[in-house]
Every structure is written in structure tokens, then in C-alpha cells.
Amino acid sequence: MFEIFKVKGTIDFLKHAKVVSLMSIVLVVASLISLGVRGINWGLDFTGGYVIEVNYAEAVSPSDLRRAVEGQEIEGAVVQQFGSARDLIVRIPPKAGEGNELVTKVEAAATGLGNGAEIKRVEFVGPQVGKELAEQGGLAVLVALICILAYVAARFEWRLALGAVIALAHDVIVTLGVFSVLQLEFDLTVLAALLAVVGYSLNDTIVVFDRVRENFRKMRKGSPEHVVNTSVTQTMSRTIITTGTTLAVVVALFLLGGSMIHGFATALLLGIGVGTYSSIYVASYASIRLGLTREHMLPVQVEKEGADQDPLMP
């Protein structure tokens, strides 16, 4: 009764699996080439720079201060609220020998808005700290993939686990590749979005795999491809509802959230789109190519002691 989008029959999703898989391979290879050649446009969270805290007697919009800072010919400045609406943080990329001059320009921009502006703090974050953040972020994604591999292998089957990890790695690499090709700024919010994409894509994959396992045990006839097609068709209503409602929120953030979370919303848009089709055409198809069969999904029969003896024998 909760199935809003009812699908009659079974849709042959894997009919185009080879073509889509080839496209995924091309996207992954292109992303890796771009990451190796163009690299990533690291944000201030990773490159370091100057951090200037400004306090106002009354609330001031970050966009107003950003325009004022840009009017002082300071490029790449990021302005964010810090705590209350009266406290703002200005982040400026590192420029050798311009520390005092930058602070003077920011102070002039801040006082130009009135409202009793006061510089509360000036700090310089070196690039070494940003390098450590990048390493720890990459390690966090790697540890997440390893934990997912162990969980799915224990919960389902190692072929499904490897297929799920391949799909998750595919989603992360393609998303990073788009950021590299377009040279979009990569900051901590984008890293958080990548981890959210991993969790979202895994959730979608687990739902499909749970139905695959159930159908392998119920359907005595039919190839693994038919079982996967049936499972994906049966979970299609859930996928459409979940993806649709999530995309509605993410699109709102992308269009109305402002520049501060634009990278976060962009990464989520890419990750959700790529993750939805990878659950079908990467995770499931990779598991089949690894040799998944009905016998692998059947529960192990445990023989009890004395089960082979004749019950009539004394």
C-alpha cells in the first residue's frame, strides 16, 4: 500500500549494463587523469592563509562584508559567520609579505560598514596544517571504504561487498574528477559532502542487496541477472521517492544556499546522481561479474550431531 510508483513486470536494467559499465570506466579513467594533471583546487581550509575575526555592535550580513573586502582589491576572501550574527570570520589566501597590509585593508573594509567594527583576532594558518587536513580527510574516506567492505562481507557475501566498495570508490572518484576538471574549490564542506555521498550510496546499495539475497532464496529458477533485475524493479519505488526528496533539498541548497555551501551542494548533487545508478550498474553488475550465484546466498546448513543415525535404532 506504500508503493506509490508501481511497476508492472520486471525491467531489464542489466540489458545495458555493459555499455553503462564502459561509460563508468571511461569516467573513472578521465577523472584519474584530470586529478593527476590538473589536481584539485584546494580551498583555504587546506592551503592555509590569514584568519581575521571581526566583531560588530550590530548584526552585519557576510555578503556585505565580502563585497567591502573585494572592494579593497583582496581576491579569494571567504567571509563566514562565527558564533553570533555580530561576529564574522574573514579568510584570505596566503600572500607572502602582505600580512600587515591585508589586515589594514580588511579593517578598512570592516569599519567602512559602520556598526562599531572591531578586529578581535588575526591568525595565520600555515600550509602544513592544510596538508595534514587533506591527508586525514583522504584517510577517513579510505577507512570508511574498508569498514564498509568488512560489514557487507559479514552481512551478505564477499562478492557483494567488493561490488559495493567498487561502486563507492567509483562515486568518489567521479565526483572528485568533476571538481578537478571544473577547478571547483575543494574545502572541508566538500569533504563532508563526499562522506555523506558514501553513506547515501551505501544505503541505496544495501537496500538492493537485501532484496537480491531474499529473491535468490525465493526464486528457484532464473539467472543471477534476472534475480538482480527483479530486485531492482521491486525497490524502484523506494529509490525514486528517496532520491527525489533528497534531490529536492539539495537543489534548494544549491540554488538558494549561497556561496558558502555551494561546493557542498554541488558535491551532493553529483554524488547522489552518480550513486543512484552505480548501485544498479556498478555494484550489482560487478558482483555478477565476480561470479555471484544462488548457492552463495543460501544459508549454510548446519548438521546436528547424530542427524545421520536411524531414529529407530536404540
Side-chain angles (χ1 to χ4, degrees):
M1 60 184 259
F2 296 106
E3 190 174 356
I4 299 177
F5 301 95
K6 295 184 179 181
V7 181
K8 295 182 179 180
T10 300
I11 302 176
D12 191 3
F13 288 98
L14 297 184
K15 177 181 179 181
H16 309 287
K18 292 183 179 179
V19 176
V20 178
S21 298
L22 180 60
M23 181 185 69
S24 295
I25 293 173
V26 172
L27 288 175
V28 170
V29 172
S31 298
L32 291 175
I33 292 175
S34 179
L35 289 170
V37 176
R38 296 173 60 89
I40 294 178
N41 181 21
W42 299 106
L44 290 178
D45 295 324
F46 297 101
T47 61
Y50 293 93
V51 178
I52 303 173
E53 181 182 349
V54 184
N55 176 262
Y56 286 92
E58 299 178 3
V60 173
S61 172
S63 59
D64 293 338
L65 180 56
R66 187 182 305 110
R67 284 192 292 267
V69 171
E70 291 174 352
Q72 294 290 330
E73 299 181 352
I74 300 177
E75 299 180 356
V78 177
V79 182
Q80 298 172 309
Q81 284 188 345
F82 181 72
S84 67
R86 297 186 297 107
D87 297 306
L88 299 177
I89 285 286
V90 181
R91 301 178 185 269
I92 304 173
K95 295 183 179 180
E98 296 187 7
N100 295 331
E101 182 181 352
L102 287 174
V103 175
T104 302
K105 289 182 177 180
V106 171
E107 186 173 7
T111 54
L113 296 177
N115 296 333
E118 179 185 0
I119 303 296
K120 300 288 291 183
R121 174 169 59 100
V122 178
E123 295 180 356
F124 177 77
V125 180
Q128 181 62 32
V129 177
K131 182 180 179 181
E132 292 178 358
L133 283 175
E135 292 176 352
Q136 292 173 0
L139 183 61
V141 175
L142 180 61
V143 170
L145 293 178
I146 294 175
C147 292
I148 290 168
L149 177 65
Y151 166 76
V152 180
R155 185 72 173 81
F156 295 95
E157 210 271 340
W158 72 265
R159 294 170 182 82
L160 291 177
L162 193 54
V165 171
I166 291 174
L168 294 178
H170 163 273
D171 300 343
V172 172
I173 292 173
V174 171
T175 303
L176 287 176
V178 173
F179 270 77
S180 175
V181 170
L182 301 179
Q183 285 296 288
L184 301 176
E185 185 175 312
F186 189 98
D187 55 19
L188 286 177
T189 63
V190 179
L191 176 60
L194 280 181
L195 293 174
V197 166
V198 169
Y200 181 91
S201 180
L202 175 66
N203 179 63
D204 201 27
T205 303
I206 290 298
V207 171
V208 175
F209 282 179
D210 191 57
R211 188 57 62 91
V212 167
R213 178 178 60 181
E214 179 182 344
N215 285 333
F216 262 124
R217 296 175 180 178
K218 290 170 57 178
M219 302 171 62
R220 296 299 178 183
K221 296 181 179 181
S223 63
E225 289 82 1
H226 177 68
V227 173
V228 169
N229 284 328
T230 302
S231 303
V232 175
T233 302
Q234 291 174 350
T235 57
M236 183 55 58
S237 176
R238 176 262 174 202
T239 301
I240 294 175
I241 295 173
T242 304
T243 304
T245 53
T246 306
L247 281 178
V249 176
V250 175
V251 169
L253 290 176
F254 181 81
L255 298 177
L256 306 174
S259 59
M260 290 299 97
I261 59 173
H262 190 266
F264 175 82
T266 303
L268 282 181
L269 275 176
L270 292 170
I272 291 174
V274 175
T276 300
Y277 93 81
S278 70
S279 297
I280 304 171
Y281 290 107
V282 179
S284 300
Y285 185 64
S287 301
I288 293 176
R289 297 294 295 177
L290 289 170
L292 181 68
T293 61
R294 178 178 290 102
E295 288 71 20
H296 297 137
M297 305 304 297
L298 295 177
V300 179
Q301 297 292 335
V302 180
E303 295 185 2
K304 297 183 179 179
E305 185 178 356
D308 57 342
Q309 298 181 1
D310 187 348
L312 298 179
M313 293 292 293

